Amino acid sequence: MVKLLHFSDTHVSHRKFRNIKDSWKVHNRVTYIEDDFCLGFKQALDIAKKEEYDYLVHSGDFFDIPVGRNFAGPTEYSRTFVLKALKEFFEETKYQIPLIIIDGNHGTFLTRNYSTIEFLQAAFPNTIHIFTNYHLKNAIRQNKPLTLEFDDVKFYMFPYLKFGRLENWAKEYEKWVQNNQQPDPNKISVAIAHGMERGMDLHELVLNYKYDYVALGHDHKQRQIKKNAWQAGSTARYTFAERTQKKAVLDVEIEKGKEPVVKSIKLDSVRPMKQIDITLNTEITTSTFEKDIRDKIIAFKKAFDGDTAVRLKIKFDGAVLLSSWWGMEDILNEIQNEVLSDKYNLLEFRWDAGEVIKRAPVSLQKGAKLYDYLIEDPVVDFEKYIRSLSLENEKQASKFIEIGAKIIEEAFTSPVERTSTEEGEL
Ligand SMILES: [Mn+2]
């Protein structure tokens, strides 16, 4: 029997700066959110200390950065934190428990063939085993397995790769899996993979082969995928979509040829994230808007405490007049200033109005400038309008007026229908 602790997506060194309370600078060395992710990682190690595990398995996204166009590496604070926590763990367990880490889509410098987990292996070369995106690419190129074998168990590595992006990649990848990554029928076989979208970053064969256990990462929500396959989930809340998720690690007991016995162990100190949903309509005035928001955030009006402070998002939908929205944004900014003081137990205050339909006031719609002039006598007004542009070429101006007058006369023979409800609000 082999017993392993499966955890994932620690995203250490994750940082946020916008819409965040920044008074931490005065008395702390690190922002609360960066600290949350350090502590999530630490909680997993603390659990690992309590039980006797044979292996620790991390299925990717150990460090949060670099990622995409963010080329910054993990901060000194986070790297020091991780080193100290690992050293403490390894010393306490006498360097007897290997830690296996694969690359996710976070923490690698894509243009430099370098992954930040190399730093961890350099610090603990005999106890930490890493498998990077570059190891994977080389293995595919050379048609070689990407595995790690011990006396009692063999691990099959699937660091992150979006192989489904191109058809020929998908073919090459599948060929590589078939040739090199089939489980050993005589030995406990464990696959470690970072991916969740079948056929895109998670290959069907990884789930279909008879591995005794498949340790998955990338999905931040802990869940069972198959009898033998689990997503461990992240160790701290990352996006507001995770606000209702419990965070946990997995205690896995594996015997050859039997279903693994998997136990979820909950992480206790995970920062709360909350969302308030508000539907707007064009009737709402800025003052009712303000009252509504203030009523809803009253629950957070208590002395700030960094350990329990909430990350809050207000999600708007519906429709609103653009002119009112400007006033509403002013109010939101004002409230933000207020709630990020010590009177509220809020760490983050942001809003998302991406789905709100914002109707432009008539004065900003295309052609409205011209429309302003066409009140009494359209032809005369049009001439005034053209003169207002102060065209230097008199011949050209006259020509414009002449053509314009003809078009306007034609257009205005029947009255132009126009609803003026929106204009009335300007
Ligand atoms: Mn990921």
Side-chain angles (χ1 to χ4, degrees):
M1 200 260 283
V2 157
K3 190 171 160 75
L4 49 95
L5 182 77
H6 172 202
F7 67 124
S8 193
D9 294 82
T10 42
H11 287 269
V12 176
S13 209
H14 176 60
R15 304 199 293 165
K16 287 255 156 195
F17 298 106
R18 290 187 64 192
N19 307 313
I20 298 287
K21 183 182 174 74
D22 64 0
S23 65
W24 61 271
K25 285 175 191 157
V26 183
H27 35 74
N28 284 346
R29 308 201 302 160
V30 60
T31 68
Y32 292 109
I33 291 176
E34 184 178 350
D35 207 26
D36 288 346
F37 285 82
C38 287
L39 294 174
F41 167 73
K42 179 75 166 39
Q43 283 190 74
L45 279 192
D46 288 343
I47 290 167
K49 263 184 225 165
K50 278 186 218 151
E51 296 272 334
E52 299 211 329
Y53 290 102
D54 301 306
Y55 302 92
L56 305 187
V57 169
H58 190 295
S59 43
D61 288 357
F62 188 102
F63 287 113
D64 187 52
I65 44 178
V67 61
R69 286 183 200 167
N70 181 356
F71 296 123
T75 65
E76 284 301 317
Y77 179 89
S78 282
R79 301 201 315 163
T80 310
F81 183 97
V82 161
L83 274 198
K84 280 167 97 170
L86 285 172
K87 187 161 180 279
E88 200 184 291
F89 173 78
F90 288 139
E91 276 175 1
E92 211 162 301
T93 54
K94 303 193 167 54
Y95 289 85
Q96 290 304 300
I97 306 176
L99 167 60
I100 304 159
I101 312 169
I102 62 163
D103 256 344
N105 51 318
H106 287 250
T108 56
F109 291 92
L110 286 176
T111 53
R112 289 174 211 166
N113 280 11
Y114 177 76
S115 168
T116 49
I117 55 177
E118 291 181 39
F119 163 77
L120 300 178
Q121 206 205 13
F124 303 102
N126 302 317
T127 325
I128 290 185
H129 305 268
I130 62 157
F131 295 86
T132 68
N133 302 137
Y134 315 109
H135 289 141
L136 173 63
K137 282 177 197 161
N138 284 335
I140 296 173
R141 243 179 247 132
Q142 295 161 14
N143 195 26
K144 280 184 178 162
L146 195 60
T147 56
L148 177 66
E149 192 164 1
F150 295 92
D151 290 344
D152 50 354
V153 57
K154 190 166 176 183
F155 293 94
Y156 299 78
M157 315 300 174
F158 300 89
Y160 183 80
L161 179 70
K162 209 169 181 177
F163 59 84
R165 196 186 314 201
L166 292 170
E167 211 179 298
N168 61 321
W169 285 14
K171 273 188 202 148
E172 284 300 305
Y173 188 80
E174 184 164 293
K175 232 168 58 196
W176 171 76
V177 175
Q178 287 168 338
N179 288 341
N180 302 287
Q181 300 293 91
Q182 301 211 31
D184 183 335
N186 302 312
K187 199 163 194 176
I188 290 177
S189 299
V190 175
I192 310 174
H194 194 86
M196 60 192 281
E197 201 188 327
R198 313 252 181 119
M200 188 51 75
D201 52 27
L202 177 60
H203 202 284
E204 211 63 51
L205 289 177
V206 176
L207 296 176
N208 290 343
Y209 280 161
K210 285 191 164 40
Y211 295 111
D212 295 289
Y213 182 67
V214 183
L216 296 166
H218 196 37
D219 190 342
H220 286 193
K221 185 178 163 67
Q222 186 173 91
R223 62 176 110 206
Q224 184 173 21
I225 304 298
K226 282 189 106 176
K227 275 180 182 161
N228 66 332
W230 282 75
Q231 285 280 0
S234 59
T235 49
R237 293 195 181 95
Y238 194 84
T239 67
F240 278 88
E242 296 169 44
R243 65 191 180 274
T244 57
Q245 295 172 11
K246 292 210 166 63
K247 296 302 174 186
V249 295
L250 294 169
D251 173 299
V252 187
E253 289 180 8
I254 309 165
E255 250 176 280
K256 186 69 201 168
K258 286 192 181 168
E259 256 176 47
V261 179
V262 183
K263 204 169 72 190
S264 172
I265 303 175
K266 204 174 146 263
L267 303 177
D268 290 323
S269 28
V270 179
R271 179 167 317 274
M273 281 174 118
K274 293 204 169 130
Q275 184 173 307
I276 294 172
D277 296 298
I278 295 180
T279 301
L280 300 173
N281 64 60
T282 49
E283 308 291 302
I284 295 174
T285 63
T286 46
S287 50
T288 53
F289 175 85
E290 177 164 6
K291 191 180 176 307
D292 190 21
I293 305 249
R294 288 190 180 279
D295 285 349
K296 287 192 163 104
I297 58 168
I298 202 101
F300 305 101
K301 197 165 183 179
K302 49 189 147 194
F304 179 79
D305 167 15
D307 292 337
T308 59
V310 174
R311 299 176 62 181
L312 179 68
K313 175 166 119 176
I314 303 182
K315 177 101 169 67
F316 296 105
D317 61 9
V320 72
L321 289 178
L322 188 55
S323 52
S324 314
W325 177 247
W326 293 334
M328 290 169 181
E329 275 200 310
D330 283 347
I331 288 165
L332 287 167
N333 279 309
E334 216 172 274
I335 292 176
Q336 185 185 59
N337 268 333
E338 208 176 307
V339 300
L340 296 183
S341 73
D342 284 345
K343 287 184 200 121
Y344 284 80
N345 199 24
L346 288 174
L347 178 61
E348 177 174 9
F349 181 83
R350 54 171 294 209
W351 56 90
D352 175 0
E355 279 169 28
V356 176
I357 298 157
K358 293 166 197 129
R359 302 220 171 95
V362 174
S363 66
L364 286 186
Q365 286 166 9
K366 217 178 174 188
K369 253 189 173 165
L370 172 61
Y371 177 77
D372 280 346
Y373 284 90
L374 305 177
I375 298 163
E376 312 246 317
D377 181 344
V379 179
V380 173
D381 277 340
F382 183 68
E383 181 168 359
K384 278 193 205 158
Y385 167 68
I386 293 294
R387 296 285 175 210
S388 78
L389 301 177
S390 334
L391 297 179
E392 281 176 14
N393 187 334
E394 172 55 30
K395 240 187 183 170
Q396 207 179 40
S398 305
K399 201 78 190 162
F400 270 140
I401 294 163
E402 193 189 314
I403 297 168
K406 270 185 202 159
I407 295 169
I408 290 165
E409 244 163 5
E410 231 180 287
F412 279 72
T413 4
S414 60
V416 174
E417 273 181 44
R418 190 147 203 164
T419 49
S420 57
T421 46
E422 286 186 9
E423 201 197 359
E425 307 226 3
L426 288 173

